[in-house]
Amino acid sequence: MIAIIGLNYKSAPIEVRERFTLTEDEAADLAKDILEFDEVHEAVVLSTCNRSEAYFVTSKSCASSFLNLVMQRIIEFRNFDESYTRYFYSYFEEAAVRHLLKVSAGLDSMVLGENQILGQVKTAYRISSSRKFTRSTLNKLFHKAFEAGKKVRSDTRINEGATSLSYAAVELAGKLYGNMANKNVLLIGAGETGELVLQSLYERNARSLFVTNRTFENAEKIADKYKGTAIRFEKYEDQLMNSDIIVSAVTVKEPLLTTEQVISILKRRNNPMLLFIDLSHPRSIDSGLKELETVFLYDLDDLNEVVAHNYRKRKNEIIKAEELLESYVSDFFEWYNALEFVPVIKMVQDVTNTIKINEIEAVRDTLNDAEIKKIEIFAASFAKNMQNTFIKNIKNLTKNRSYNQDTFETLSALFYPDSAKVSTGSAKDEQEN
Amino acid sequence: MLTITPYFHRFSELTSQFLLQAESTMFSNILMPITGLYLTGTILYIAYFITLRELTVKAAKIIMFPGLVAHAWFLYRLGIMESRFPMATVYEAMSFFVLFLILIYIYLEYTTKNKTIGAFVFPIVMLFQTISALNLEITSVDQTLFKSTLFGVHTFTAIVGYSAFVFSMILGVMYLSMFYEIKKRRFIFMYDRLPPLEMLDSMNSKSQVIGFIFLTIGILTGVIWAKRAWTDFSFFDIKILLSWFLWLLYLGSIIGRKLFGWKGRRTAYLSIAGFVVLLFTFVFVSLIFSSIHNF
């Protein structure tokens, strides 16, 4: 049985999740702990800030009540008590497989379609597989999950469109300007979002980056990171005329820039188009600028609107993504169900091969070399075709899942190799009878 | 072996006769199927604009490609048949115009890597293709007039110029839609699908310049050729006046951009105005006014 026990941002608040966030070594230790159960053969532990999950494989005969024992082990790992079970969820078999695929594809993430989770799943798998904590089932399952995660991201638009404020600002700049290579950027102030915007524009080969701050050293620090130039706060207005994208992230009592200032700047500019990104709260740029024809001013509300729009678009892709995942779920189960029949298939091969060998031996003395050769070729072909017919039909059974325990037992009885003890001269016996 | 030769001879004779007949039948009836293929492609491009499913645009190209080939072949054969440039009547010129529009679009799609522009371009293409296909008749016209190279240059440059202006208008419309969505923060359709504003604006300006150059050559060669062709030629013919008006309009737009920094919306509005004048020149005048320049 394939099973998952875990918690995520939907099932547990951050205070609880925090306590279950594991480092790579801790994840490996927990996996090892779970493997100590006799019934558990494989285990992988995934831990990010938004989820911690244990994926494991038990023997076929395990009942779902066994999962409670594993849950106990997990909770004990962090020395917590029974009450924490309410934050956990569990899945087994098909639901478990589907869950992992969804996680991989970013469909279970806080930011729908995010890319980071796929790398995190890969790392978690690597931690276990390198310690030989996985075998064929989880190996196959996780590789299917990687494939599915990649496919969903390439075939749907689930990961397209900026879902953070800084990326929304850069996306917007892209919609206005397209090519950044001849654009100049000015960052006023500091802060994570502002710096992220600067970084993204740097990565898009913006021509020049200028940074200004009331504290010159802070401006220098940021400018150095992105091969930009720091400007003293008293002097930044001179730079405005040459800037195409102006990002403002400062705390002010009054607007930094007024409409009149900007109008006079526009007159002196070559390109009348100008983009202001106001990341400040309260706003630092006169919102009257929005009225000017060639000026685009986006404040936090506007950027949030961009993010909301992109998020809606991603949600529209969910159904398509889920359909894609279903085909991977089916693929996996085709393989997984066929595993049961591996011993049966081996039996089929053993029986037919044994009969083939025995029959050839029975007639070897009565034939010359050339005839033996022909008989061997015939027998090999005959046995092979018979084998393949049976094996194909057995595999069809697993595809349609049209079997139960009885089927398994019947097949095993039919192809039990000991029944292949054929005595020599059996053909002669038949004729005489 | 020798006895087979006459049969082989007869066979190849019949085959070539059949092929010629088939070609001739195909030739006279090819326009409607081509229009059908273009129409299917147009619908698929619009579908792509709405759904953004790659399959629709791939299907559009596969369906339209044979139409394009057939179209080009048709015009070529027409020219050969009549021993002249295939642009002597309104509808022939229109057919050539459509072909050119599609070729320009292919170039545009290739350079911008943006396939949503097709949803704007192909409806316009369909408009002209339908008019042309329904009305085009293979007629012989007075040979001498239309065989001269000057005539060829005149019509060709006029058509290229007009194509550029059509694209300029389409780019202008796209610019304005994109502009309003971004300005009003109402992200409905264009924000996700159209090329960046600046790109739309610069492509529009380039189209206007190219169109203007070709229009200038077209008007000049037209005037020279017409003076030779018709004795009662007058500079105040309505069609020719309108062409000069069109010329002035685009000149104004280009100068305005260069000298007064008229960009963005102004360029867009001017390109739309230019298209309206162009349409009026081409359509209305032919229908209502009698003019020596019968098309």
Side-chain angles (χ1 to χ4, degrees):
Chain A
M1 176 174 66
I2 301 174
I4 301 177
I5 295 178
L7 45 67
N8 64 14
Y9 66 96
K10 289 187 264 196
S11 71
I14 190 159
E15 312 86 62
V16 175
R17 287 199 320 270
E18 270 172 353
R19 299 183 202 174
F20 280 97
T21 309
L22 309 168
T23 63
E24 283 191 17
D25 287 331
E26 288 171 330
D29 285 340
L30 178 57
K32 193 142 162 266
D33 258 12
I34 296 174
L35 280 166
E36 264 162 31
F37 285 102
D38 281 337
E39 298 92 323
V40 176
H41 307 305
E42 312 179 46
V44 171
V45 171
L46 167 71
S47 183
T48 71
C49 46
N50 286 328
R51 80 179 61 245
S52 287
E53 293 174 336
Y55 303 82
F56 52 96
V57 178
T58 70
S59 2
K60 252 228 102 81
S61 49
C62 250
S64 48
S65 52
F66 173 69
L67 293 180
N68 296 328
L69 293 172
V70 181
M71 174 109 62
Q72 288 289 73
R73 185 68 63 91
I74 293 174
I75 292 178
E76 278 161 13
F77 189 79
R78 279 295 205 229
N79 294 321
F80 292 127
D81 61 53
E82 288 266 340
S83 63
Y84 278 84
T85 53
R86 69 181 194 277
Y87 296 115
F88 285 84
Y89 47 79
S90 65
Y91 299 108
F92 53 90
E93 296 291 48
E94 199 173 313
V97 169
R98 196 170 284 117
H99 178 82
L100 173 59
L101 261 54
K102 272 171 102 163
V103 167
S104 232
L107 291 178
D108 202 52
S109 294
M110 219 150 87
V111 178
L112 188 63
E114 53 127 345
N115 293 328
Q116 205 188 12
I117 185 71
L118 185 56
Q120 289 165 326
V121 172
K122 285 187 177 168
T123 306
Y125 170 72
R126 189 186 34 84
I127 293 171
S128 275
S129 67
S130 61
R131 290 171 173 75
K132 304 269 188 278
F133 291 163
T134 63
R135 290 200 221 157
S136 59
T137 309
L138 284 190
N139 287 343
K140 185 85 175 177
L141 178 59
F142 273 84
H143 279 102
K144 271 273 175 261
F146 302 152
E147 262 179 65
K150 190 167 158 202
K151 184 90 173 152
V152 161
R153 286 180 177 83
S154 71
D155 284 15
T156 71
R157 288 164 195 270
I158 198 98
N159 59 343
E160 283 183 17
T163 45
S164 72
L165 292 177
S166 55
Y167 281 125
V170 176
E171 185 185 271
L172 186 62
K175 297 287 184 192
L176 283 175
Y177 291 126
N179 183 13
M180 298 291 164
N182 55 358
K183 300 288 178 281
N184 303 319
V185 183
L186 171 65
L187 170 64
I188 308 173
E192 199 185 318
T193 318
E195 208 184 305
L196 274 172
V197 174
L198 198 71
Q199 180 181 5
S200 298
L201 290 172
Y202 167 72
E203 284 163 6
R204 291 200 192 192
N205 301 316
R207 177 158 66 190
S208 66
L209 304 166
F210 290 89
V211 187
T212 185
N213 196 307
R214 284 203 188 88
T215 324
F216 186 65
E217 290 71 38
N218 291 346
E220 275 183 319
K221 244 195 287 186
I222 299 177
D224 285 340
K225 263 199 235 181
Y226 306 109
K227 303 207 186 108
T229 317
I231 307 180
R232 297 205 172 270
F233 199 68
E234 307 77 49
K235 296 264 168 76
Y236 83 84
E237 282 173 48
D238 300 332
Q239 187 52 34
L240 281 175
M241 201 186 79
N242 295 323
S243 305
D244 304 291
I245 303 171
I246 299 161
V247 182
S248 170
V250 282
T251 1
V252 284
K253 292 211 184 83
E254 279 172 0
L256 268 181
L257 292 167
T258 63
T259 313
E260 294 75 37
Q261 265 176 302
V262 174
I263 292 177
S264 78
I265 290 170
L266 284 177
K267 287 206 182 103
R268 294 179 280 155
R269 270 172 65 78
N270 276 330
N271 184 355
M273 202 148 78
L274 203 49
L275 173 62
F276 288 96
I277 306 277
D278 191 350
L279 298 171
S280 323
H281 188 72
R283 295 178 292 180
S284 56
I285 300 181
D286 183 0
S287 56
L289 285 178
K290 289 185 185 180
E291 307 301 314
L292 295 176
E293 181 190 329
T294 59
V295 172
F296 294 86
L297 166 58
Y298 267 54
D299 55 37
L300 287 171
D301 274 353
D302 299 323
L303 291 176
N304 275 314
E305 180 56 40
V306 173
V307 168
H309 167 77
N310 286 334
Y311 212 76
R312 282 191 289 269
K313 268 179 26 195
R314 287 193 182 201
K315 277 176 118 164
N316 287 336
E317 296 293 296
I318 290 179
I319 294 183
K320 221 193 321 178
E322 284 178 346
E323 274 172 15
L324 256 178
L325 288 183
E326 272 317 298
S327 68
Y328 284 90
V329 173
S330 306
D331 269 359
F332 174 77
F333 274 103
E334 213 181 288
W335 173 87
Y336 185 61
N337 292 332
L339 278 184
E340 272 186 86
F341 287 88
V342 165
V344 174
I345 289 173
K346 181 138 198 319
M347 274 192 236
V348 170
Q349 289 168 330
D350 284 349
V351 163
T352 45
N353 283 335
T354 309
I355 295 176
K356 174 186 84 177
I357 292 169
N358 287 347
E359 290 300 313
I360 291 176
E361 287 312 305
V363 293
R364 191 179 284 274
D365 296 335
T366 64
L367 300 169
N368 64 41
D369 282 345
E371 286 169 333
I372 288 177
K373 201 80 205 236
K374 284 194 192 149
I375 289 283
E376 276 175 346
I377 292 171
F378 165 76
S381 164
F382 182 74
K384 185 142 182 263
N385 279 326
M386 199 142 100
Q387 259 179 36
N388 288 344
T389 308
F390 290 136
I391 291 172
K392 199 168 93 177
N393 291 333
I394 290 172
K395 284 194 171 158
N396 278 337
L397 272 180
T398 68
K399 232 188 258 190
N400 304 328
R401 303 195 204 181
S402 50
Y403 62 90
N404 53 29
Q405 195 57 22
D406 287 341
T407 320
F408 190 73
E409 281 164 6
T410 310
L411 282 175
S412 301
L414 268 180
F415 292 105
Y416 193 59
D418 259 4
S419 56
K421 268 190 280 178
V422 179
S423 53
T424 58
S426 61
K428 265 202 323 205
D429 286 342
E430 295 243 323
Q431 275 182 335
E432 273 166 5
N433 295 343
Chain B
M1 278 295 273
L2 286 169
T3 50
I4 298 179
T5 327
Y7 292 108
F8 179 72
H9 217 44
R10 182 79 187 125
F11 175 71
S12 56
E13 226 175 72
L14 283 169
T15 317
S16 45
Q17 263 178 22
F18 171 73
L19 285 173
L20 276 169
Q21 184 61 35
E23 205 206 17
S24 153
T25 323
M26 266 204 297
F27 184 74
S28 9
N29 296 320
I30 196 86
L31 285 178
M32 289 320 274
I34 292 175
T35 311
L37 289 174
Y38 285 167
L39 181 64
T40 317
T42 305
I43 293 172
L44 285 169
Y45 261 103
I46 294 175
Y48 175 73
F49 184 84
I50 297 172
T51 65
L52 290 174
R53 280 189 179 255
E54 291 296 327
L55 213 65
T56 47
V57 77
K58 278 192 187 127
K61 289 185 202 181
I62 293 174
I63 289 174
M64 280 178 124
F65 181 71
L68 192 65
V69 170
H71 192 166
W73 167 82
F74 169 79
L75 287 172
Y76 170 71
R77 292 293 290 156
L78 178 61
I80 299 277
M81 247 173 61
E82 300 292 319
S83 320
R84 59 170 168 83
F85 295 102
M87 307 174 224
T89 71
V90 196
Y91 304 112
E92 283 176 17
M94 219 183 264
S95 188
F96 197 88
F97 176 58
V98 165
L99 184 69
F100 215 77
L101 283 178
I102 298 179
L103 290 175
I104 295 180
Y105 173 72
I106 292 173
Y107 172 72
L108 206 66
E109 194 188 276
Y110 180 72
T111 47
T112 62
K113 307 259 182 282
N114 183 308
K115 302 173 218 97
T116 54
I117 305 176
F120 290 83
V121 173
F122 283 109
I124 308 274
V125 167
M126 273 318 295
L127 171 69
F128 289 109
Q129 172 65 12
T130 316
I131 297 172
S132 155
L134 288 175
N135 294 301
L136 199 150
E137 279 163 15
I138 300 163
T139 53
S140 297
V141 283
D142 185 353
Q143 302 290 27
T144 45
L145 272 182
F146 298 102
K147 260 182 157 176
S148 76
T149 337
L150 205 57
F151 168 72
V153 172
H154 161 68
T155 346
F156 180 76
T157 52
I159 290 176
V160 173
Y162 283 2
S163 317
F165 292 144
V166 166
F167 270 94
S168 169
M169 180 274 293
I170 293 172
L171 289 162
V173 168
M174 293 197 289
Y175 179 92
L176 290 170
S177 337
M178 186 77 165
F179 181 90
Y180 282 118
E181 275 203 8
I182 297 181
K183 208 60 157 117
K184 299 283 184 209
R185 293 129 176 88
R186 298 198 3 111
F187 312 113
I188 315 167
F189 273 125
M190 311 301 164
Y191 180 77
D192 302 319
R193 290 162 171 79
L194 291 184
L197 266 187
E198 206 172 54
M199 190 191 275
L200 288 171
D201 183 54
S202 77
M203 287 199 298
N204 189 350
S205 147
K206 283 187 197 139
S207 300
Q208 286 188 359
V209 169
I210 292 173
F212 180 75
I213 293 172
F214 277 90
L215 182 67
T216 313
I217 301 172
I219 293 179
L220 290 174
T221 50
V223 163
I224 299 170
W225 173 78
K227 277 220 119 186
R228 289 187 202 163
W230 295 308
T231 43
D232 52 346
F233 173 76
S234 160
F235 274 111
F236 297 103
D237 179 276
I238 181 87
K239 189 72 182 258
I240 298 177
L241 278 179
L242 280 170
S243 301
W244 281 115
F245 177 62
L246 193 74
W247 186 86
L248 280 171
L249 195 148
Y250 282 109
L251 181 68
S253 178
I254 293 169
I255 290 180
R257 212 179 151 92
K258 266 261 129 77
L259 293 179
F260 304 117
W262 290 359
K263 281 188 181 184
R265 283 199 294 180
R266 285 211 187 86
T267 310
Y269 287 133
L270 279 167
S271 61
I272 295 173
F275 178 74
V276 170
V277 172
L278 198 155
L279 216 54
F280 183 77
T281 316
F282 214 74
V283 175
F284 258 4
V285 174
S286 316
L287 294 175
I288 298 175
F289 298 96
S290 72
S291 150
I292 197 149
H293 190 289
N294 276 331
F295 63 92

